[in-house]
Amino acid sequence: MLILLIYFLYNPILYVTTDEVIGPLTKDFQNWLNENGYEGYNFSRPDLGPTGSYGGRAQHSVTIKNDPIVFIHGNSDGALAIPGNFSSGWTDTIEYFLSKGYTSAELYATTWGDRNPLNALGRTHSCETLTYLKQFTEAVLKYTGHSKVDVISHSMGVTVARKVVIGGMFFDENDTICNLGPTLTHKIDTFIGLAGANLGMCECQGLSNADPTCNKRNGFWPGDNCGENNMTCPIHPQPKPCNEPYYSDFLTQLNTHPIKEASYVYSTWSLADDIVGFQCLVYGRNTSLIPLSDRVKVYRNLTHMETKECTVSDQYDMIVNHYLPSGLPPVKVHV
Ligand SMILES: *[C@@H]1O[C@H](CO)[C@@H](O)[C@H](O)[C@H]1NC(C)=O
Ligand SMILES: *[C@@H]1O[C@H](CO)[C@@H](O)[C@H](O)[C@H]1NC(C)=O
Ligand SMILES: *[C@@H]1O[C@H](CO)[C@@H](O)[C@H](O)[C@H]1NC(C)=O
Ligand SMILES: *[C@@H]1O[C@H](CO)[C@@H](O)[C@H](O)[C@H]1NC(C)=O
Ligand SMILES: *[C@@H]1O[C@H](CO)[C@@H](O)[C@H](O)[C@H]1NC(C)=O
Ligand SMILES: *[C@@H]1O[C@H](CO)[C@@H](O)[C@H](O)[C@H]1NC(C)=O
């Protein structure tokens, strides 16, 4: 007993609890980023303090066993939880993976945007955000030396992350073009989309010119008509027959891309989602379904943030075992 106690006293690393989630990026990763041309991106987000980012080797000698995971959060959220704030980041998920033996060298999150919910309607898929996260994902691949990473995404982060891994040309709402570079789909083992809005959001019906987040070009505009139905996005079933509405160009392009985002693709959502709303149906179609998903799972009673916070063991099973408990093959939708 005494010997054990002395052992712990002289080996502080052993009694620091391994499941404490403290950002920002480790010194080792930050040094590597600075030495490899990434210093201009500020992936550690020094402006946001320790909750602005997470990940990297705690010591230079750490070996990386598991494929690293890249986390992509949604609109106004961030890398880690801000105590007392709605923005819970990826803290719950990271805590769970650490408790299962993952290390900080296998778990990577940064923050895109300023986390301020008052700016939510101004955020849309943009060259700036997509480039930033593409560079971050590539940096994680290079720094860890693994040939594959996993991606876990939530909310607006789902469509952001899908484009990040698909790569190629992107047009923003002002027709500014950026080239996101070569596709990463063959370098992603598992891609998880939690509560995304792949077919847009009914909240954006009729608002294509109102807010960047709802715009027709690269926002969440779901279309204003479907067949003879006019402005009926949230209604299920639709009053008149309806196949495919004309919706956001960016989302249409993503959904008709013929190649899976990863070797294993999963979509999950909740019927009680309070942000996507309307049981996650858009003109009668499941908007949280990534079209080429292998398995899907629909929770009955989770809020939008809870689809990320309260599903960590399912996230772990999908990543580690390629298994989604109670998951089913998807019911295909017209895209
Ligand atoms: C990176 O962060 C530093 C410190 O907050 C700031 O001075 C610099 O302008 C930032 N760079 C960019 C590209 O945002
Ligand atoms: C949550 O944090 C963000 C970013 O710091 C801040 O803009 C917002 O006001 C905070 N909200 C609450 C309710 O504290
Ligand atoms: C597009 O143009 C509008 C109007 O000039 C501007 O407010 C907005 O910031 C631009 N969006 C981007 C992504 O540059
Ligand atoms: C759809 O409905 C809106 C009002 O709800 C109306 O202004 C518009 O003209 C209608 N469009 C069509 C094609 O019927
Ligand atoms: C769903 O959750 C809400 C809030 O936690 C609770 O009031 C309600 O009873 C739950 N409904 C079901 C069907 O479990
Ligand atoms: C939505 O997806 C679920 C799960 O795959 C499926 O059971 C349901 O039929 C779908 N709903 C519609 C309207 O397609």
Side-chain angles (χ1 to χ4, degrees):
M1 187 63 193
L2 184 62
I3 289 174
L4 253 185
L5 187 64
I6 290 169
Y7 186 72
F8 282 127
L9 281 174
Y10 285 91
N11 290 277
I13 282 157
L14 284 180
Y15 69 78
V16 168
T17 69
T18 51
D19 50 4
E20 228 172 337
V21 183
I22 298 172
L25 303 181
T26 64
K27 279 276 160 283
D28 187 74
F29 188 28
Q30 289 197 40
N31 290 340
W32 184 92
L33 289 166
N34 293 340
E35 287 159 11
N36 287 274
Y38 293 98
E39 70 279 13
Y41 291 101
N42 275 346
F43 290 137
S44 71
R45 295 301 305 264
D47 54 321
L48 297 177
T51 62
S53 62
Y54 183 86
R57 292 178 176 88
Q59 286 96 27
H60 193 63
S61 57
V62 168
T63 54
I64 298 176
K65 192 171 48 129
N66 297 298
D67 279 343
I69 304 174
V70 175
F71 297 98
I72 312 278
H73 66 77
N75 193 343
S76 310
D77 204 351
L80 299 180
I82 299 175
N85 193 293
F86 85 95
S87 177
S88 53
W90 293 102
T91 297
D92 294 309
T93 302
I94 291 173
E95 213 160 59
Y96 190 84
F97 275 80
L98 292 176
S99 78
K100 294 287 185 183
Y102 269 69
T103 74
S104 66
E106 296 158 344
L107 302 163
Y108 292 86
T110 183
T111 299
W112 62 270
D114 63 5
R115 300 189 86 150
N116 186 346
L118 298 177
N119 298 332
L121 296 179
R123 287 194 200 97
T124 191
H125 308 87
S126 67
C127 285
E128 188 191 353
T129 299
L130 295 169
T131 303
Y132 177 82
L133 293 168
K134 176 95 188 314
Q135 293 292 323
F136 184 67
T137 308
E138 286 179 350
V140 169
L141 278 158
K142 288 185 202 151
Y143 169 69
T144 59
H146 273 233
S147 56
K148 292 210 174 196
V149 295
D150 300 308
V151 174
I152 307 184
S153 59
H154 175 243
S155 189
M156 182 172 166
V158 175
T159 39
V160 167
R162 288 179 64 199
K163 184 61 182 171
V164 164
V165 305
I166 289 170
M169 303 308 272
F170 174 79
F171 303 78
D172 78 7
E173 67 270 31
N174 300 332
D175 281 336
T176 304
I177 301 176
C178 51
N179 186 352
L180 298 172
T183 186
L184 297 177
T185 52
H186 56 294
K187 296 185 178 178
I188 314 295
D189 179 62
T190 302
F191 185 103
I192 302 177
L194 310 166
N198 301 286
L199 298 168
M201 292 177 67
C202 287
E203 292 284 2
C204 286
Q205 168 179 265
L207 296 177
S208 63
N209 295 318
D211 310 307
T213 207
C214 287
N215 88 78
K216 270 186 187 181
R217 196 86 169 100
N218 59 329
F220 288 111
W221 184 62
D224 293 340
N225 324 283
C226 188
E228 289 176 33
N229 301 292
N230 180 24
M231 304 287 275
T232 57
C233 183
I235 299 174
H236 185 65
Q238 290 283 299
K240 302 207 177 113
C242 157
N243 283 322
E244 28 279 56
Y246 164 53
Y247 63 105
S248 158
D249 295 332
F250 167 69
L251 296 178
T252 303
Q253 198 186 44
L254 267 190
N255 294 331
T256 52
H257 186 74
I259 296 163
K260 277 168 73 177
E261 288 76 4
S263 307
Y264 302 89
V265 178
Y266 299 97
S267 305
T268 74
W269 64 92
S270 169
L271 298 180
D273 191 305
D274 51 332
I275 301 289
V276 179
F278 314 109
Q279 306 201 343
C280 298
L281 292 175
V282 164
Y283 287 104
R285 303 168 304 155
N286 281 306
T287 191
S288 297
L289 173 62
I290 299 168
L292 302 180
S293 295
D294 295 288
R295 286 286 184 278
V296 306
K297 180 164 177 172
V298 185
Y299 302 100
R300 309 221 132 255
N301 201 23
L302 298 178
T303 64
H304 187 64
M305 294 305 270
E306 286 171 350
T307 57
K308 176 187 65 165
E309 298 156 357
C310 302
T311 62
V312 294
S313 71
D314 282 350
Q315 294 170 42
Y316 181 82
D317 264 328
M318 288 183 266
I319 294 286
V320 173
N321 302 319
H322 298 141
Y323 170 65
L324 175 56
S326 312
L328 293 171
V331 174
K332 299 281 176 209
V333 291
H334 248 291
V335 295

